Amino acid sequence: MPVRAKLPDKNDKLWAEYLEIQSKRDEKFLGSQHKLMDAVLVFAGLLSAVNTSFVLKSQEQLSPRSSQDTTNELLRYMTMQLGYALNITDEKPTVFQEQTQPEEIVIAGTVLYHLSPAFSIFSAAVALHAKLWLLDYEKRTNERGSVYEQSMRHQHAAEGLSVWRFHYAIQCPVILLLISIYLFMGAFSFSTYQLHYAGLSAAIEVFMLVAFSCVTYTAVFAEVFVGCPYRNPIAHIITFC
């Protein structure tokens, strides 16, 4: 049967030393996480603003042609057919087709354009909750009391971070923001391909593949090699799994 170590007496000076050390750790931890969440909130807001203009543009492409456009197209077709029949022009009219459904690539790009701001907004919401969690942690650990009581509160709060895997949860906003960025790049690639800029579309796809590969490889290297400094949020997912 394991024997638990006996805690020092409540009046022991060891509690004061522990409280000083743990307070510094908490201050450093809270400061770094607040800065990270602030950066996520700012970047998520900027990305959502950029996405909005692309979403509005993609929605226009989903709409079927207006009656005015269809009428003009029909008149042009009839004029070409009459001119060809009277030998006024040698250009043979093409078959008139009324376009009622958008192309598949337009639909795919529009879906990605809508998913990207959805993930960025979700990321901002999680980051806001994370800041509230951090503020609650700071409030609980800064309550007044004896040195022993303050030390025990710090200890219980630190144990809660470990038990509830808070260090993994705090990385969720960053991961969601990365997903939003990749979705936006994919949608932009579809848009450039639709505009017949095949070279630019291929370049964006190659860049996306290289970027995703680098993020994945660095995450794996950070877990395999102890001294690897290129740790990213995906590495936390690998560790959690």
Side-chain angles (χ1 to χ4, degrees):
M1 183 176 180
V3 180
R4 295 185 61 181
K6 184 179 179 180
L7 293 176
D9 186 73
K10 294 183 179 181
N11 298 322
D12 198 305
K13 294 181 179 181
L14 184 62
W15 290 114
E17 297 178 3
Y18 170 81
L19 180 60
E20 182 181 358
I21 295 174
Q22 190 63 35
S23 297
K24 291 181 179 179
R25 289 181 178 178
D26 287 343
E27 183 180 357
K28 183 179 179 181
F29 167 74
L30 292 171
S32 62
Q33 296 305 320
H34 273 301
K35 290 180 180 179
L36 177 61
M37 293 303 104
D38 288 339
V40 170
L41 288 171
V42 171
F43 198 84
L46 293 175
L47 186 59
S48 298
V50 172
N51 272 319
T52 301
S53 59
F54 285 92
V55 168
L56 295 176
K57 185 65 177 178
S58 63
Q59 285 181 339
E60 293 178 0
Q61 297 175 347
L62 283 179
S63 303
R65 290 183 178 180
S66 62
S67 58
Q68 182 66 34
D69 294 337
T70 305
T71 302
N72 293 337
E73 185 71 16
L74 181 59
L75 289 174
R76 187 186 68 83
Y77 171 76
M78 293 175 63
T79 303
M80 291 178 60
Q81 190 175 27
L82 182 61
Y84 183 76
L86 298 176
N87 294 324
I88 298 176
T89 177
D90 295 332
E91 183 180 358
K92 188 176 181 180
T94 57
V95 179
F96 172 73
Q97 293 180 349
E98 182 179 358
Q99 183 180 357
T100 57
Q101 296 295 333
E103 299 178 1
E104 293 181 357
I105 192 170
V106 176
I107 297 176
T110 304
V111 170
L112 293 180
Y113 273 134
H114 282 76
L115 285 176
S116 180
F119 272 90
S120 62
I121 293 173
F122 188 32
S123 172
V126 177
L128 182 59
H129 279 82
K131 287 186 69 68
L132 295 176
W133 298 335
L134 294 171
L135 291 173
D136 180 71
Y137 179 90
E138 187 176 3
K139 179 182 177 181
R140 287 188 291 115
T141 54
N142 288 336
E143 291 180 356
R144 294 183 178 181
S146 64
V147 174
Y148 173 78
E149 292 173 344
Q150 293 182 51
S151 300
M152 293 305 297
R153 278 196 294 268
H154 277 274
Q155 178 62 25
H156 292 157
E159 289 179 353
L161 293 179
S162 177
V163 172
W164 291 95
R165 306 292 182 90
F166 184 79
H167 292 83
Y168 298 112
I170 205 72
Q171 298 297 325
C172 289
V174 183
I175 296 173
L176 292 171
L177 196 57
L178 288 175
I179 295 175
S180 176
I181 294 173
Y182 283 123
L183 289 173
F184 175 77
M185 293 175 65
F188 189 69
S189 175
F190 279 122
S191 297
T192 53
Y193 184 81
Q194 179 192 356
L195 295 174
H196 306 292
Y197 296 132
L200 179 59
S201 177
I204 295 174
E205 292 175 359
V206 170
F207 176 77
M208 286 177 57
L209 180 61
V210 172
F212 184 76
S213 300
C214 291
V215 172
T216 305
Y217 287 147
T218 52
V220 174
F221 290 160
E223 294 301 314
V224 176
F225 303 102
V226 180
C228 181
Y230 304 115
R231 193 173 185 84
N232 55 55
I234 299 180
H236 292 279
I237 298 179
I238 298 176
T239 303
F240 181 78
C241 296

